[in-house]
Amino acid sequence: MESLLDVLGSRLERLLGSERVVTDPVRLRTYECDGLTNHRSTPAIVVLPDSAEQVAEIVRECVTAGVPYVARGSGTGLSGGALPRADGVLIVTARMRRILEVDIPGQRAVVEPGVINLDVTRAVQPYGYYFAPDPSSQQICSVGGNVAENSGGAHCLKYGFTAHHVLACEVVTPEGEIVELTADGPGYDLLGVFVGAEGTLGITTKITVRLTRVPETVRTLLAAFESIEAGGRAVSAIIGAGVVPAAIEMMDALSIEAAEAAVRCEYPPGAGAVLIVELDGPETEVAAQFAEVERLCGDAFEIRVAADDAERALIWKGRKSAFAAVGRISPAYIVQDGVIPRTSLPSVLARIDALSDESGVRVANVFHAGDGNLHPLVLFDDAVPGAEERAEKVSGAILDLCIEHGGSITGEHGVGVDKSRYMPRMFTEADLDTMQMVRCGFDPMGLCNPGKVFPTPRLCGEVPGVRRGAHPYEGKADLF
Amino acid sequence: MESLLDVLGSRLERLLGSERVVTDPVRLRTYECDGLTNHRSTPAIVVLPDSAEQVAEIVRECVTAGVPYVARGSGTGLSGGALPRADGVLIVTARMRRILEVDIPGQRAVVEPGVINLDVTRAVQPYGYYFAPDPSSQQICSVGGNVAENSGGAHCLKYGFTAHHVLACEVVTPEGEIVELTADGPGYDLLGVFVGAEGTLGITTKITVRLTRVPETVRTLLAAFESIEAGGRAVSAIIGAGVVPAAIEMMDALSIEAAEAAVRCEYPPGAGAVLIVELDGPETEVAAQFAEVERLCGDAFEIRVAADDAERALIWKGRKSAFAAVGRISPAYIVQDGVIPRTSLPSVLARIDALSDESGVRVANVFHAGDGNLHPLVLFDDAVPGAEERAEKVSGAILDLCIEHGGSITGEHGVGVDKSRYMPRMFTEADLDTMQMVRCGFDPMGLCNPGKVFPTPRLCGEVPGVRRGAHPYEGKADLF
């Protein structure tokens, strides 16, 4: 007996050609997870469309069949936003990889969703421009994925997130229509809600990105402090002075140790924390502000200024390798992603230390210090029974700390499947209902990346409407 | 016999106290229009709530009674976004005028919607900060109105629109619930769609605004050119060189003549166009870039650099008075608001000239040249029969030009009642349906500022859903 998914698979093959449809179980396994590898689920069907029209056809087929679908770019996301459904279709944008237009006078480019983040920069660099969002996965992640997750990066302190660099998106709605969303201009700014909706409001098929001019100059320093607190004070002093560095990154002793073990970055020995501060812009401005930053890092026991690109790359090497490097000092780890007000940095870090001491679970801290985005790496040994659970507990407690300090449960990795259960700690029921309402507007059948972002998947009919009491005009029939 | 609106009026008086409810016909007339004075409609009831809770109660009363309502700040909008309904309630936020919190280390302030734009700046200026959005009405317009219209201003070229300076809004939804919308953080960015939705998605009752540091220095020049084309070339050259001035404003000969007649700004005689270019930022950067701007204005026959604040104010005086000044040279005029790509400036201006010549209708051009936002002032004599219609026709043709060049029908004044009929020229039906879908999610009863933004008011049930053909699985009963 043919199953519903078999029929759908055959129809998709007829529509797209068999080379664009994967149903072979071995090949399907490739897609069972994204960067959040502790959640896995093999999709029933994978499709690799070439065009917006094909994406729209696929979506309409899924809607007609009542089958859920999930879009996937390069699969580098860290919250399981592209985790497939075993009973559904995975729509992979890897074949939609054309840069359609580069408009230098207009400072914009139009790209397909599968285009690799760094390839945008490569295409426009000869003209003195680049694409500003720089997640650490930028060599492999796709612009479509950046749009779904509203990706940040080390330089989003000054340059903002993906949302600030997207001018328009062509989108296949969950009802299979192709629409154009723009930020400026009349009518509703639906681009804002689409970017960062983690693929729950439709699939982007064409993205107009803003291009940023390569700054005249870039200067980078590494400052080594005795303690995290001293480093934190320097961060507050820099921001408080009105300097907006391109990046301020902080690493604690444990993450320095890991980086050292992995890539021999040769950061100053004995540092309790290092800060990497990068300034960019016009030569004259950078020179003046750089001197101020050096002064504000006065408590550092060592400051190294990169004399050239090679030295700059060396300073960044430790930071960029930090996540992977932690593998050298721990068999397994959880990458947490939370946000706190910059001003709470010292107190939250002290509380994380205390959590670690109490539980015996080691935590390495790496963070975008300038915007209060913490990436604690919670270490554990997966060979020890119960160790992962203990690590999960500490990891969750760190999120609680973030919420308690008026922060957020995610800075740039998204909610996905990973953090949907924390949403009610940040939002009231009314807040979540308002979001659901929008979701149900876009996706009345609940087939577009279901099970992500929201804590309790509900059918759209269950979202409460107007709450009425007894009708106050009852009995006043003459009024109507 | 008591009417529905009488009952509602009595209920609102009981809820809010009679001093917060206006039903006297003479007092109601005060509210019959906003800044777009050619549309007038006296509301049935005006309420002046003090708190979010009162706003929520009012909205719930309106929903229960099935009566439409419109929110109004200071009523300075130029597209009729706050035009009342004769059969409805006008909710005026003038009594909600408290600055609730100023958080200098966090660079933010929390204000009620009735707070005057400039009062935010006044409150934080002693600390070296200001609120960046600066519509020309900033001495009287409200922050709530700025949020509804996503207001810009002369300096939005560098600093962006209101949307870029709002971090969170407390909102009373069209169903009378109080929710919190934030831009960053997990879940949907509903703030982006709310800001600029022209009051159709709810009423903001508390706004967290971003504060901007007062720049170290500001330098302003006035450059006089023989022709608009020469001025336009200078604008392109400045932007092309990567300089981002705080403002670049342009005025043509007719608007200069008007300003001269009104405020004796003493701009260089015989100018076909003047440019005002303002740079701000760190002293060293501004000095370097200012020299470059002077060089790029090399075709000007005269350049004046403001030596101090008084001279700077004098340069701005002509520009700031331009709209009102046009009253000196024409009995009546229409303020148009359109956007074109900066690169199309010269060709669109030539077309506007041609339109003016063909029709005999005079057009004075004032614009935010840096971001391609045109404000043509279309002049007419309201004592001459048919003159207004001819002016309207030219004004509409200018919008067509903007659309034809890939621009927009509004840069900063909004769609309101004024331009809803142009929406189908910019958007496909599917695009507009997607916006309607969101509107219907927020406002299923269609009572929140109805008749604005969208070309054809429709009941929510009429918004098309999934378009289905014959069901492809029909006859395959064994599948289900």
Side-chain angles (χ1 to χ4, degrees):
Chain A
M1 203 175 72
E2 229 185 355
S3 81
L4 171 65
L5 288 162
D6 290 339
V7 178
L8 180 60
S10 310
R11 288 181 57 91
L12 290 171
E13 279 186 5
R14 229 168 16 250
L15 268 173
L16 309 171
S18 57
E19 74 284 5
R20 295 192 189 83
V21 181
V22 180
T23 51
D24 168 55
V26 177
R27 285 184 61 204
L28 287 174
R29 281 288 298 281
T30 322
Y31 299 98
E32 67 178 4
C33 68
D34 60 12
L36 183 79
T37 54
N38 61 336
H39 286 75
R40 287 170 199 268
S41 163
T42 305
I45 302 169
V46 168
V47 286
L48 295 131
D50 285 321
S51 67
E53 289 65 33
Q54 287 185 354
V55 173
E57 278 175 347
I58 295 161
V59 166
R60 285 193 298 261
E61 284 296 322
C62 289
V63 168
T64 309
V67 166
Y69 57 90
V70 175
R72 173 187 163 114
S74 303
T76 55
L78 291 169
S79 59
L83 181 75
R85 297 270 298 206
D87 59 349
V89 175
L90 187 71
I91 303 172
V92 178
T93 58
R95 292 174 67 119
M96 297 174 70
R97 200 170 273 199
R98 287 177 303 164
I99 294 178
L100 301 169
E101 196 189 327
V102 170
D103 169 9
I104 294 297
Q107 302 187 5
R108 57 186 64 196
V110 182
V111 305
E112 289 188 324
V115 169
I116 300 305
N117 173 301
L118 205 55
D119 285 347
V120 183
T121 291
R122 288 198 184 103
V124 300
Q125 220 159 24
Y127 308 99
Y129 287 85
Y130 72 113
F131 179 49
D134 63 339
S136 52
S137 56
Q138 70 178 143
Q139 302 199 24
I140 42 168
C141 66
S142 70
V143 178
N146 297 164
V147 167
E149 299 296 326
N150 189 19
S151 304
H155 294 81
C156 63
L157 171 63
K158 179 169 179 179
Y159 292 99
F161 287 77
T162 299
H164 302 105
H165 300 277
V166 172
L167 299 166
C169 282
E170 179 188 81
V171 168
V172 172
T173 69
E175 304 199 322
E177 284 201 291
I178 299 175
V179 300
E180 181 77 16
L181 307 183
T182 51
D184 298 328
Y188 295 165
D189 168 13
L190 297 180
L191 189 63
V193 63
F194 183 81
V195 176
E198 307 192 15
T200 62
L201 300 180
I203 301 170
T204 186
T205 47
K206 202 192 280 178
I207 303 135
T208 305
V209 300
R210 184 198 304 283
L211 302 176
T212 304
R213 281 181 78 91
V214 173
E216 195 185 322
T217 194
V218 181
R219 295 197 72 184
T220 309
L221 66 73
L222 179 89
F225 295 86
E226 309 256 325
S227 68
I228 277 277
E229 289 70 28
R233 278 195 302 273
V235 173
S236 292
I238 292 165
I239 301 287
V243 178
V244 183
I248 310 187
E249 300 284 307
M250 181 142 71
M251 292 168 70
D252 72 357
L254 194 54
S255 56
I256 297 167
E257 179 192 328
E260 197 56 52
V263 297
R264 306 230 165 285
C265 50
E266 294 177 356
Y267 286 172
V274 295
L275 272 191
I276 298 171
V277 186
E278 188 158 282
L279 296 177
D280 66 14
E283 179 63 50
T284 45
E285 176 189 349
V286 169
Q289 296 199 336
F290 201 79
E292 193 170 359
V293 168
E294 285 190 89
R295 193 176 57 72
L296 295 167
C297 287
D299 283 351
F301 67 80
E302 185 174 339
I303 292 182
R304 292 181 189 169
V305 177
D308 53 32
D309 281 355
E311 286 190 22
R312 185 178 160 229
L314 194 66
I315 287 179
W316 275 105
K317 195 176 175 188
R319 168 63 187 89
K320 290 199 169 169
S321 67
F323 284 20
V326 164
R328 297 289 182 111
I329 58 164
S330 175
Y333 60 94
I334 298 163
V335 181
Q336 189 47 282
D337 169 42
V339 182
I340 52 168
R342 219 156 30 216
T343 44
S344 308
L345 216 59
S347 66
V348 171
L349 293 174
R351 296 278 298 276
I352 293 178
D353 256 6
L355 273 173
S356 175
D357 287 349
E358 286 157 24
S359 61
V361 173
R362 290 186 302 164
V363 180
N365 284 298
V366 175
F367 31 71
H368 307 314
D371 46 12
N373 188 184
L374 312 179
H375 286 313
L377 301 158
V378 185
L379 316 188
F380 65 96
D381 182 349
D382 48 359
V384 175
E388 183 165 1
E389 289 67 27
R390 281 195 298 279
E392 284 280 7
K393 213 171 140 193
V394 168
S395 182
I398 292 173
L399 282 195
D400 285 335
L401 273 179
C402 293
I403 296 169
E404 196 183 297
H405 284 80
S408 163
I409 58 172
T410 171
E412 53 182 8
H413 296 171
V415 178
V417 289
D418 194 36
K419 292 184 173 172
S420 54
R421 66 187 185 284
Y422 293 101
M423 291 287 277
R425 299 198 202 165
M426 276 199 68
F427 296 103
T428 67
E429 211 175 308
D431 291 345
L432 289 171
D433 282 349
T434 307
M435 293 183 201
Q436 278 279 13
M437 202 180 62
V438 171
R439 179 178 195 153
C440 290
F442 274 84
D443 183 21
M445 297 186 68
L447 297 174
C448 184
N449 208 11
K452 313 289 165 70
V453 182
F454 293 99
T456 39
R458 291 195 293 190
L459 295 177
C460 288
E462 294 172 327
V463 176
V466 184
R467 281 154 201 183
R468 288 161 180 277
H471 199 291
Y473 300 94
E474 232 155 49
K476 296 197 184 251
D478 57 331
L479 296 177
F480 302 98
Chain B
M1 203 173 75
E2 227 183 357
S3 81
L4 172 65
L5 288 162
D6 290 340
V7 177
L8 180 60
S10 309
R11 288 180 58 91
L12 289 171
E13 279 187 4
R14 233 171 8 255
L15 268 173
L16 309 172
S18 57
E19 75 284 7
R20 294 192 190 82
V21 181
V22 180
T23 51
D24 168 55
V26 176
R27 285 183 61 204
L28 288 174
R29 280 288 298 280
T30 320
Y31 299 98
E32 67 177 3
C33 67
D34 61 11
L36 183 78
T37 54
N38 61 335
H39 286 74
R40 288 170 197 267
S41 161
T42 305
I45 302 170
V46 168
V47 287
L48 295 131
D50 285 321
S51 67
E53 289 66 32
Q54 287 185 354
V55 173
E57 280 177 346
I58 295 162
V59 166
R60 285 195 298 262
E61 283 296 322
C62 289
V63 168
T64 310
V67 165
Y69 57 90
V70 175
R72 175 189 162 114
S74 302
T76 55
L78 291 169
S79 60
L83 181 75
R85 295 271 298 206
D87 59 349
V89 174
L90 187 72
I91 303 173
V92 178
T93 58
R95 292 174 67 120
M96 298 174 69
R97 202 170 271 200
R98 287 176 303 164
I99 294 178
L100 300 169
E101 195 189 328
V102 170
D103 169 9
I104 294 298
Q107 302 185 6
R108 57 186 64 195
V110 182
V111 305
E112 290 188 324
V115 168
I116 300 304
N117 173 300
L118 205 55
D119 285 348
V120 182
T121 291
R122 289 199 183 103
V124 300
Q125 221 160 24
Y127 308 98
Y129 286 85
Y130 72 112
F131 179 50
D134 63 339
S136 53
S137 56
Q138 70 177 143
Q139 303 200 22
I140 41 169
C141 66
S142 70
V143 178
N146 297 163
V147 166
E149 299 295 326
N150 189 20
S151 304
H155 294 82
C156 63
L157 171 63
K158 179 170 179 180
Y159 291 100
F161 287 76
T162 299
H164 302 105
H165 300 276
V166 172
L167 300 166
C169 281
E170 180 188 80
V171 168
V172 172
T173 70
E175 304 198 322
E177 285 201 293
I178 300 175
V179 300
E180 181 77 17
L181 307 182
T182 52
D184 298 330
Y188 293 165
D189 167 13
L190 297 180
L191 189 63
V193 64
F194 183 81
V195 176
E198 307 191 14
T200 62
L201 299 180
I203 301 170
T204 186
T205 47
K206 204 192 279 176
I207 303 135
T208 305
V209 299
R210 183 197 304 284
L211 303 176
T212 304
R213 282 181 76 92
V214 173
E216 195 185 320
T217 193
V218 181
R219 295 197 72 184
T220 310
L221 67 73
L222 178 87
F225 295 86
E226 308 256 324
S227 68
I228 278 278
E229 290 69 29
R233 279 195 303 273
V235 172
S236 293
I238 292 166
I239 301 286
V243 178
V244 183
I248 309 187
E249 300 285 306
M250 181 143 68
M251 293 168 70
D252 72 357
L254 195 52
S255 55
I256 297 168
E257 179 192 328
E260 197 54 52
V263 297
R264 308 229 165 283
C265 50
E266 293 177 357
Y267 285 173
V274 295
L275 271 191
I276 298 172
V277 186
E278 188 158 281
L279 296 177
D280 67 13
E283 178 63 49
T284 45
E285 177 189 348
V286 168
Q289 295 199 336
F290 201 79
E292 194 171 358
V293 168
E294 286 190 89
R295 192 176 58 72
L296 295 167
C297 287
D299 283 350
F301 66 81
E302 184 174 341
I303 293 182
R304 293 180 189 169
V305 177
D308 53 32
D309 282 355
E311 287 191 21
R312 186 178 159 229
L314 193 66
I315 287 179
W316 276 105
K317 196 175 174 189
R319 169 62 188 87
K320 290 198 170 169
S321 67
F323 284 20
V326 164
R328 297 290 182 112
I329 58 162
S330 175
Y333 60 94
I334 298 163
V335 181
Q336 190 47 283
D337 169 44
V339 182
I340 52 168
R342 214 157 32 216
T343 43
S344 308
L345 216 58
S347 67
V348 171
L349 293 175
R351 296 277 299 274
I352 293 178
D353 257 4
L355 272 174
S356 176
D357 287 349
E358 286 159 25
S359 62
V361 173
R362 290 186 302 164
V363 181
N365 285 297
V366 175
F367 31 73
H368 306 316
D371 46 13
N373 188 184
L374 312 179
H375 287 311
L377 302 158
V378 184
L379 316 188
F380 65 96
D381 182 348
D382 48 2
V384 175
E388 181 164 5
E389 289 67 31
R390 281 195 297 279
E392 284 280 4
K393 213 171 141 194
V394 168
S395 181
I398 291 172
L399 283 194
D400 286 335
L401 273 180
C402 292
I403 297 169
E404 195 183 299
H405 283 81
S408 164
I409 58 172
T410 171
E412 53 183 8
H413 296 172
V415 178
V417 289
D418 194 37
K419 291 183 174 174
S420 55
R421 67 188 185 281
Y422 293 102
M423 291 287 276
R425 298 198 203 167
M426 276 198 70
F427 296 102
T428 66
E429 211 174 309
D431 291 344
L432 289 172
D433 283 349
T434 307
M435 293 183 200
Q436 278 279 12
M437 202 180 62
V438 171
R439 179 179 195 153
C440 291
F442 275 85
D443 183 22
M445 296 185 67
L447 297 174
C448 183
N449 208 12
K452 313 289 164 70
V453 181
F454 293 99
T456 39
R458 291 195 292 190
L459 295 178
C460 287
E462 294 171 325
V463 177
V466 183
R467 281 157 200 180
R468 288 161 179 276
H471 199 294
Y473 300 93
E474 232 155 47
K476 295 197 184 251
D478 56 331
L479 296 179
F480 301 97

